């Protein structure tokens, strides 16, 4: 099935897990060729997308490292010849009281969530402007970028910055590149699991109007929409698949 992304190439980070993996599947189902980038090898996601009839290549690297991002974008161009859509899903969090958070941990969260988004966006937009067809950037923030959360200062600050970077880039690169954002609420991925979140915080996640955790497919649908022909008059906007946690 195609939903208007035939002939497009989508560069997606964080594809080895969670929302990024679902976005890779959904973009491929919509007709895009997908180039996936992750700290963990994207091979499993590539195989799964190909098994569903999609076209996907992968690259292992760190979004916070400039040379890795430049290498990945270059490999995407070598593989697929172009880059039309960039989706910044890679992210991390550090649940920690702010007075106990180390500089190293704070910097790591900001480096992955904000510097990574900047680097992937910058390299992608350079390609979109140089090939003359323009393109789309879809950044992934969080409802916590609006709300804040005790014990998540570095994460919330990094996501608030992603919301702001989205609006700045939307103004800077209009009309050739449309830059939008998806700010999910609680979604069923490892980020809500024990490696990232205490059971107490996890238990509070359903205290939202829709009273449940969302699925990765519900976020991927918003990503595909912002990447496709239905979103040609949208830039600088944020869509919130968040169960009603934020109603800006
Ligand atoms: P996830 O399942 O943990 O996926 C994140 C992916 O990003 C993982 O594959 C991870 O690889 C990768 N990654 C982490 N650091 C990286 C780096 N430096 N370079 C390249 N890849 C890196 O989490 P998710 O929930 O799908 O998160 C996706 C995005 O949605 C994140 O930006 C997150 O902040 C955002 N979000 C999630 C929720 C939620 O409730 N789940 C809500 C709002 C926003 P490793 O596993 O190897 O670290």
């Amino acid at each position: 099935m195609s939903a208007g992304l035939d002939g497009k190439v989508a560069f997606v980070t964080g594809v080895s897990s969670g929302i990024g993996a679902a976005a890779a599947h959904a973009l491929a189902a919509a007709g895009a060729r997908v180039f996936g980038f992750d700290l963990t090898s994207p091979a499993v996601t590539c195989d799964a997308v190909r098994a569903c009839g999609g076209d996907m290549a992968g690259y292992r690297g760190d979004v916070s490292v400039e040379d890795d991002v430049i290498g990945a974008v270059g490999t995407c161009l070598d593989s697929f010849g172009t880059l039309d859509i960039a989706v910044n899903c890679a992210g991390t969090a550090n649940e920690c009281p702010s007075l106990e958070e180390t500089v190293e941990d704070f910097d790591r969260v900001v480096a992955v969530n904000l510097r990574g988004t900047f680097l992937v966006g910058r390299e992608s937009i350079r390609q979109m402007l140089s090939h003359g067809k323009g393109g789309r950037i879809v950044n992934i923030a969080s409802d916590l970028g609006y709300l804040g959360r005790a014990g998540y200062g570095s994460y919330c600050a990094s996501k608030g910055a992603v919301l702001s970077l989205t609006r700045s880039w939307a103004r800077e690169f209009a009309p050739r590149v449309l830059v939008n954002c998806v700010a999910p609420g609680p979604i069923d991925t490892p980020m809500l699991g024990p490696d990232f979140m205490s059971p107490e915080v996890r238990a509070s996640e359903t205290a939202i109007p829709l009273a449940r955790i969302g699925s990765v497919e519900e976020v991927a649908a918003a990503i595909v929409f912002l990447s496709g022909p239905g979103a040609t008059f949208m830039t600088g906007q944020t869509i919130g698949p968040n169960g009603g946690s934020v109603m800006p």
Side-chain angles (χ1 to χ4, degrees), residues 13-20 37-40 61-64 88-92 112-113 140-144 155 159 182-192 196-197 205 216:
T13 71
V15 291
S16 297
S17 179
I19 293 167
F37 181 102
D38 203 292
L39 211 48
T40 301
D62 185 334
V63 292
S64 70
N88 277 301
C89 285
T92 193
V112 176
N113 296 353
I140 309 301
S142 168
D143 61 349
L144 299 182
Y155 181 77
K159 293 300 187 178
V182 175
I187 304 299
D188 186 18
T189 76
M191 203 166 265
L192 261 58
F196 287 102
M197 189 172 277
E205 288 283 19
V216 291

Side-chain angles (χ1 to χ4, degrees), residues 120-178:
V120 171
R122 187 190 71 182
E123 293 309 307
S124 300
I125 291 169
R126 283 177 172 166
Q127 294 308 318
M128 292 167 187
L129 296 180
S130 73
H131 65 45
K133 294 181 292 168
R136 304 286 176 89
I137 303 291
V138 182
N139 293 327
I140 309 301
S142 168
D143 61 349
L144 299 182
Y146 297 106
L147 294 167
R149 172 176 279 172
Y152 280 82
S154 53
Y155 181 77
C156 296
S158 70
K159 293 300 187 178
V162 169
L163 292 169
S164 182
L165 183 65
T166 299
R167 292 190 285 262
S168 299
W169 276 354
R171 295 183 188 281
E172 188 167 348
F173 299 111
R176 288 185 289 173
V177 180
L178 307 186

Side-chain angles (χ1 to χ4, degrees), residues 7 12 23 54 69 72 86 98 120 135 148-150 158 166 213 222 238:
V12 186
V69 174
S98 292
V120 171
R149 172 176 279 172
S158 70
T166 299
I213 303 294
T238 299

Side-chain angles (χ1 to χ4, degrees), residues 100-118:
E100 295 169 20
E101 188 165 35
T102 65
V103 168
E104 290 75 19
D105 283 342
F106 183 91
D107 285 351
R108 180 176 52 82
V109 172
V110 173
V112 176
N113 296 353
L114 180 57
R115 189 202 301 160
T117 297
F118 162 72

